[in-house]
Amino acid sequence: MGLAMLDTTRPRALVTLHDVGKVYATGTVALANIDLEVRSGEILTLLGPSGCGKSTILRLVAGLDTPTSGVLSRNHANVRGTVGFVFQDPTLMPWADVFDNIYLPLRLQGQSRNKAAPAIADVLERVGLARFVKAFPRELSGGMRMRVSIARALVSRPRLLLMDEPFAALDEITRFRLDDDLVALQAELGTTIVFVTHSVFESVYLSSRIHVMAAHPGRITAEIEIDTPSIRRGREFRTTPAYLHYCRQASDALQRAAPGEDA
Amino acid sequence: MALLALVRRLAPPALVFTALLGTWEAFVRLAEVPSFVLPAPSLVAATLVADRATLLPALLVTLKITGFALAAAVVGGVGLAILFSRSRWIERSVLPLAIVLQVTPIVAIAPLLLVYLDPSTAVLVCAFLVAFFPILSNTALGLASTDRNLLDLFRLYGASRLQTLRLLRLPGALPHFLGGVRIGGGLALIGAIAAELAAGAAGKGAGLAFRIVEAGYRLNIPRMFAALALISLLGIAIFSALALLSNRVLRRWHDSALDQDK
């Protein structure tokens, strides 16, 4: 419990960022001195206000962008299927039905439809959309589209799942439900997740660890370990004193990181 | 329900069209306007039937030219748009030329083409030139509008350029492309008619425009109107066919196709 220093004693860091910085061509310093490790099997949350570089870190970890300073090392081959990405928008192909959207990562790996079908059926079952395999994205609700997006990210069984404020645009009820489902899925599959959010409550509910960030330049200002294992969490966790305690802690850390700014 | 919806959609324009024709017919009959000045719609219809041996082959000629020109414009426009999306250098080099061809009136280009090409080829090239640009510019716009997050996703999954083009860029550009084809279809017909008028080709390869000119020389005004009516019908048919195609392709996922049912 409490603010903790970076713990380097834990084994199996999937991704490590050491003194990483990112400066854009315009001269904007997006990130400075980022030290961070993503440990196998955890849900790590990056919590901070808009513009603090949370998404930039995610892009660096995904390999979609490169740091301008520091060292980023991956303890997994960054090849097809090892990393899944869920964006703030579902980012589905509107011309393709649910099956074809989820099939995409496997299709790009060269798998045939027939061979991919069982994995797609399985992941659809897990996200509760088995009946909607032939539906097009526009025929689904916002929450269902996001489930498809998550299913697509999970279908190739990635070792690392990166989620960039995936539930930010959804209503509170749907968001709570998807948070529950995500915790359950992670417990079942053991996928390592890096989750970006600006919601204190969501970060505490989901995470094993929270990195609190501040802007101008984007930097990590605190790390909070959540002692309650996510595998034992359920909806009731939201009403426990421990949950409220961690929320207060995260909120205080945010305030200290960016006095005068709302998270 | 579908039939009722169709009737509801078609009834208003059909009523307006019928009222227009009725007024025209009544005016010609009541004012006793001579047919060489303004033929009544009934006479135009009768001429369509009576002169079918002349007009239908001409219709087929114009239709064939329009069809070939549109097909060539689709192949050329999409091909060049793909090249544009691959290389800004090619786009900067070639686009000005395409714009020059687009903004120069086809009636000014047609006589030149007739100098260098045989009349039927010149007509085809004219129709191609006017249909080509909207397809090129719309498809290029569609290819450039690909969702950035989806592009990132394809990169993340290690998609090749060909996979990204085939599975993402081209399907994403479909609404823009089909919009361009709808415009290009009508313009191909206009280009073909304008070039036929400039060419004045007679005989076996004569299209509807030439039949209009020919009928004018002979003061056969009802046939002029009949040929004109066929051109209008052909234009409507081309537009409707392309709109139907667009609707069939996009109806389950794109708002432009969905709105047509409202």
Side-chain angles (χ1 to χ4, degrees):
Chain A
M1 219 184 269
L3 296 178
M5 298 297 289
L6 275 178
D7 185 354
T8 52
T9 59
R10 293 191 187 229
R12 303 261 303 131
L14 270 187
V15 182
T16 307
L17 281 75
H18 178 64
D19 200 23
V20 161
K22 177 70 185 175
V23 182
Y24 287 114
T26 53
T28 308
V29 182
L31 294 173
N33 310 113
I34 300 293
D35 286 307
L36 175 154
E37 63 175 26
V38 181
R39 297 168 193 158
S40 182
E42 73 172 345
I43 300 183
L44 170 67
T45 292
L46 302 177
L47 171 68
S50 299
C52 70
K54 306 184 293 290
S55 300
T56 306
I57 291 182
L58 225 52
R59 291 181 63 83
L60 294 178
V61 171
L64 292 170
D65 220 334
T66 49
T68 45
S69 61
V71 178
L72 187 154
S73 55
R74 295 185 185 86
N75 190 21
H76 64 99
N78 190 23
V79 293
R80 295 180 181 195
T82 57
V83 177
F85 206 113
V86 179
F87 296 89
Q88 184 170 348
D89 297 318
T91 317
L92 302 176
M93 298 180 293
W95 55 87
D97 61 18
V98 166
F99 183 96
D100 281 337
N101 267 291
I102 298 174
Y103 175 40
L104 178 71
L106 303 179
R107 187 176 191 172
L108 294 174
Q109 286 173 26
Q111 275 196 38
S112 69
R113 290 175 73 86
N114 285 343
K115 196 178 169 197
I120 293 169
D122 175 62
V123 80
L124 271 174
E125 193 69 49
R126 287 178 193 277
V127 297
L129 286 177
R131 289 189 300 115
F132 297 92
V133 66
K134 291 284 174 203
F136 280 70
R138 74 167 317 279
E139 295 162 353
L140 303 173
S141 68
M144 290 161 92
R145 282 180 218 170
M146 191 46 78
R147 284 173 193 274
V148 176
S149 188
I150 293 168
R152 178 182 59 193
L154 290 175
V155 74
S156 57
R157 293 299 176 101
R159 294 181 64 188
L160 180 61
L161 178 59
L162 306 171
M163 307 183 83
D164 190 1
E165 300 190 45
F167 311 143
L170 302 174
D171 64 86
E172 195 78 350
I173 297 167
T174 309
R175 188 173 184 159
F176 275 23
R177 197 172 295 151
L178 285 171
D179 283 344
D180 290 342
D181 291 350
L182 185 66
V183 168
L185 273 170
Q186 198 272 342
E188 200 179 330
L189 301 173
T191 312
T192 306
I193 297 176
V194 181
F195 193 97
V196 162
T197 183
H198 53 243
S199 162
V200 167
F201 304 107
E202 191 172 45
S203 67
V204 170
Y205 185 69
L206 292 176
S207 316
S208 334
R209 285 189 304 140
I210 300 171
H211 278 304
V212 179
M213 294 187 67
H216 315 302
R219 61 201 186 279
I220 295 171
T221 55
E223 181 188 347
I224 300 170
E225 297 248 9
I226 311 290
D227 280 349
T228 313
S230 58
I231 198 164
R232 288 208 300 271
R233 280 180 216 160
R235 287 175 194 175
E236 60 277 10
F237 178 54
R238 285 197 180 94
T239 55
T240 61
Y243 175 74
L244 295 174
H245 166 78
Y246 284 122
C247 287
R248 165 68 66 88
Q249 205 176 349
S251 187
D252 288 347
L254 263 181
Q255 281 296 318
R256 279 195 298 275
E261 277 187 45
D262 291 328
Chain B
M1 287 302 282
L3 186 67
L4 192 67
L6 188 70
V7 170
R8 270 194 193 148
R9 217 166 67 192
L10 294 181
L15 273 174
V16 170
F17 196 65
T18 309
L20 186 71
L21 289 181
T23 309
W24 178 0
E25 183 81 30
F27 170 71
V28 170
R29 284 177 188 267
L30 293 174
E32 295 179 348
V33 181
S35 66
F36 62 84
V37 174
L38 182 65
S42 57
L43 179 60
V44 173
T47 308
L48 262 175
V49 177
D51 293 354
R52 62 185 180 279
T54 308
L55 293 176
L56 286 183
L59 173 71
L60 285 178
V61 168
T62 304
L63 177 62
K64 205 166 78 177
I65 289 168
T66 306
F68 279 137
L70 184 60
V74 165
V75 173
V78 172
L80 199 55
I82 290 172
L83 282 178
F84 284 3
S85 75
R86 301 254 48 88
S87 162
R88 298 288 293 174
W89 184 84
I90 295 176
E91 183 179 357
R92 277 197 293 267
S93 309
V94 180
L95 191 60
L97 179 66
I99 293 171
V100 166
L101 286 173
Q102 168 66 18
V103 298
T104 310
I106 200 65
V107 286
I109 300 174
L112 261 181
L113 288 174
L114 285 160
V115 172
Y116 302 115
L117 303 168
D118 70 83
S120 54
T121 310
V123 171
L124 186 66
V125 171
C126 283
F128 163 79
L129 285 177
V130 288
F132 170 73
F133 191 79
I135 295 173
L136 167 68
S137 60
N138 271 32
T139 309
L141 178 66
L143 290 172
S145 308
T146 310
D147 186 306
R148 298 290 128 185
N149 285 341
L150 274 171
L151 277 173
D152 280 344
L153 203 67
F154 271 65
R155 264 181 66 202
L156 191 70
Y157 290 133
S160 67
R161 282 180 144 197
L162 188 65
Q163 282 177 319
T164 306
L165 178 70
R166 194 166 56 86
L167 300 176
L168 177 60
R169 286 188 184 274
L170 284 176
L174 256 181
H176 288 87
F177 162 72
L178 289 168
V181 171
R182 271 201 283 188
I183 300 166
L187 287 178
L189 178 62
I190 292 171
I193 296 293
E196 278 180 17
L197 289 173
K204 200 179 165 191
L208 282 171
F210 175 74
R211 293 301 170 202
I212 289 177
V213 175
E214 181 194 49
Y217 287 145
R218 295 178 183 177
L219 275 183
N220 188 347
I221 310 301
R223 187 188 277 187
M224 286 182 81
F225 271 89
L228 194 60
L230 279 181
I231 291 173
S232 299
L233 287 173
L234 183 57
I236 291 168
I238 289 170
F239 184 83
S240 302
L242 294 174
L244 187 69
L245 172 76
S246 175
N247 190 259
R248 298 286 292 184
V249 174
L250 305 177
R251 65 181 170 172
R252 285 198 73 181
W253 64 273
H254 199 260
D255 288 343
S256 66
L258 297 162
D259 286 342
Q260 289 181 13
D261 293 332
K262 287 179 185 170

